[in-house]
Amino acid sequence: MTTVEAIRSAAERLRGQVIRTPLVRASRLSEQLGCDLFLKLENLQHTGSFKDRGSYIRLSKLSGDEAKRGVIAMSAGNHAQGVAYHAGRLGIPATIVMPEFAPFSKVERTRAFGARVVLTGDTLDASAHAAYQIAEEEGLTFVHPFDDEDVIAGQGTTGLEILEDCPDVETIVVPIGGGGLMSGIATVAKDANPAIEMIGVESALFPSMRDTLKGTQTMTGGSSLADGIAVKVPGKLTKAIIERLVADIIVTPESAIEAAVHRLAEEQKLVVEGAGAAGVAAILAEPERFAGRRVACVICGGNIDLKLLSSILTRGLIRDGRMARLRIGIVDQPGVLARIASIIGKTGGNIIEVYHQRLFYDVPAKQAEVDVVLETRNAEHIAEVVTQLREDGFPTRTLSDLSQQGTL
């Protein structure tokens, strides 16, 4: 079992090797949520996640022979980069097995750190099997992403820093995948103050730790925005620690995680991946549970694909009523588009795009439908634009109400 002494020793070993990340007060979110919220910004680590910590501790404890022969790890992203980065710095040959579906950006960043990347497997389990096979064939040391005492000790240094910066913290919220980060933080937090409440967060698609602890089977799997915590089988070491020290695990839907990524970007100006936003997602979903408390939430990573981030931010604007797509029925004759533009302009809407379709919509030959994408102030403004268009004889409906499509 990982001890507080081992974590303090890891902190000394990490000094100067990783970034001592800040714990910042999220003033705007605190006001909105009714709690005193602090964010531990592990997305500012060199590779963009907390994985830098445990990877360095594990690699720094290799024997001379192990370091010479090299290491191998399996990961779809953050653990891969952490191992590759520190292996390159320490002169240790590194092989990283990544699934075939791993994002190109993460594959290239891992290669850029000097690691040999093997792309194989259509699932994480298949990639893990291949990694263990290569390790045995080539005599490489396998670096586990979470179920390893040295890795847990390294991740636990995050908790030491939280307590140094906010010694009177009452609740610490930590995303859980395999459980290494939570195990380390909970070990030091509960030792410092047994009254600190430890709350874990999992994606509703992958509630593997909660299921394991409760003896249930609710995991459905699938493509999760929080891919960093999309773990099917949690660790044995981490399960024992979390079962003993963690008060509860909140299971959060994908829609809440998406909303949290958007809120962190807009309210706190932070670029955060889905797993990194999971803790904030849980607080957004259950604010009454944290109201009036001093809460520290670990932002565990920021490695999000820019195309995905762009999509999330745009969807957030639509969800908030600041962007809308209207479908407007018209008589297909000269001057009609100008009238529509004039009506929208007088109501204060800003036209971004226009799609004028005569052929492919199910409308009479002398009619057409126009799709107009608008910038708007809020949902009430959209309703105002729609009402004005209808009053001027243009049948109009909104196509972009995400609130009616299972999204927060």
Side-chain angles (χ1 to χ4, degrees):
M1 195 70 74
T2 302
T3 63
V4 175
E5 290 71 25
I7 295 172
R8 293 191 182 280
S9 175
E12 288 300 316
R13 192 179 286 259
L14 279 174
R15 199 178 302 277
Q17 305 299 326
V18 299
I19 296 171
R20 206 286 190 189
T21 57
L23 181 74
V24 301
R25 185 174 186 274
S27 55
R28 297 191 65 176
L29 287 176
S30 293
E31 293 170 3
Q32 295 167 11
L33 296 170
C35 64
D36 200 12
L37 178 62
F38 293 81
L39 305 177
K40 179 62 171 171
L41 303 184
E42 285 298 289
N43 57 316
L44 299 182
Q45 290 291 353
H46 186 77
T47 66
S49 89
F50 74 96
K51 293 289 189 178
D52 280 14
R53 297 174 183 265
S55 297
Y56 179 81
I57 296 302
R58 181 68 182 92
L59 294 179
S60 70
K61 289 193 171 185
L62 294 173
S63 68
D65 181 58
E66 288 174 327
K68 183 178 180 179
R69 284 187 281 114
V71 297
I72 188 168
M74 190 288 297
S75 169
N78 290 341
H79 180 61
Q81 293 177 70
V83 172
Y85 169 59
H86 287 300
R89 294 178 61 238
L90 297 171
I92 300 171
T95 298
I96 308 296
V97 178
M98 305 182 77
E100 295 169 355
F101 58 82
F104 292 144
S105 58
K106 292 185 178 182
V107 172
E108 290 309 308
R109 281 199 296 267
T110 303
R111 283 189 176 130
F113 289 130
R116 174 180 62 148
V117 175
V118 177
L119 289 172
T120 185
D122 57 0
T123 66
L124 288 173
D125 288 343
S127 298
H129 178 77
Y132 279 114
Q133 186 174 0
I134 294 171
E136 184 175 353
E137 292 172 352
E138 301 184 12
L140 307 178
T141 299
F142 188 86
V143 180
H144 200 281
F146 49 83
D147 215 24
D148 179 282
E149 290 189 0
D150 290 328
V151 171
I152 294 172
Q155 321 302 29
T157 61
T158 311
L160 289 177
E161 294 175 8
I162 291 173
L163 294 170
E164 289 172 4
D165 292 345
C166 187
D168 54 352
V169 64
E170 297 173 283
T171 301
I172 301 178
V173 182
V174 184
I176 293 178
L181 180 62
M182 172 57 98
S183 295
I185 294 176
T187 298
V188 295
K190 298 297 279 189
D191 177 78
N193 180 3
I196 294 175
E197 182 184 40
M198 299 301 304
I199 301 293
V201 183
E202 291 187 297
S203 161
L205 296 179
F206 290 89
S208 56
M209 183 63 76
R210 190 200 64 172
D211 281 359
T212 298
L213 294 176
K214 292 190 173 184
T216 57
Q217 292 184 338
T218 62
M219 184 172 63
T220 59
S223 180
S224 173
L225 176 59
D227 57 345
I229 55 172
V231 174
K232 290 185 177 180
V233 182
K236 294 180 180 179
L237 297 177
T238 59
K239 172 185 177 292
I241 297 172
I242 289 172
E243 187 172 33
R244 181 168 54 92
L245 300 178
V246 175
D248 194 14
I249 297 176
I250 297 174
V251 174
T252 308
E254 291 291 307
S255 57
I257 295 171
E258 178 183 339
V261 172
H262 178 242
R263 291 284 288 276
L264 284 165
E266 181 161 40
E267 303 290 356
Q268 301 302 144
K269 315 308 176 190
L270 294 173
V271 174
V272 179
E273 63 184 271
V280 172
I283 300 172
L284 289 171
E286 301 184 30
E288 67 286 347
R289 182 171 187 164
F290 303 92
R293 298 180 67 83
R294 180 158 289 138
V295 181
C297 181
V298 181
I299 304 298
C300 61
N303 292 318
I304 186 169
D305 180 79
L306 290 181
K307 290 185 293 184
L308 177 58
L309 178 61
S310 175
S311 175
I312 289 172
L313 295 179
T314 301
R315 284 166 59 89
L317 293 175
I318 295 169
R319 187 167 51 242
D320 292 345
R322 288 181 289 165
M323 183 179 291
R325 181 165 176 163
L326 307 181
R327 180 159 293 173
I328 306 167
I330 66 171
V331 176
D332 195 11
Q333 61 187 30
V336 173
L337 289 179
R339 284 180 58 199
I340 290 174
S342 176
I343 294 167
I344 292 172
K346 288 178 180 178
T347 59
N350 182 43
I351 298 175
I352 301 173
E353 294 177 336
V354 176
Y355 304 90
H356 187 194
Q357 186 55 256
R358 295 178 176 87
L359 302 178
F360 297 104
Y361 292 164
D362 185 17
V363 293
K366 290 187 177 182
Q367 296 181 19
E369 287 187 325
V370 175
D371 285 5
V372 179
V373 180
L374 304 175
E375 285 182 328
T376 47
R377 293 187 299 272
N378 49 41
E380 290 74 19
H381 189 199
I382 296 172
E384 178 187 348
V385 174
V386 171
T387 298
Q388 192 59 57
L389 285 165
R390 289 173 177 170
E391 288 180 353
D392 281 57
F394 297 106
T396 304
R397 65 185 188 276
T398 304
L399 301 181
S400 50
D401 188 358
L402 291 183
S403 65
Q404 303 302 315
Q405 299 175 26
T407 303
L408 289 181

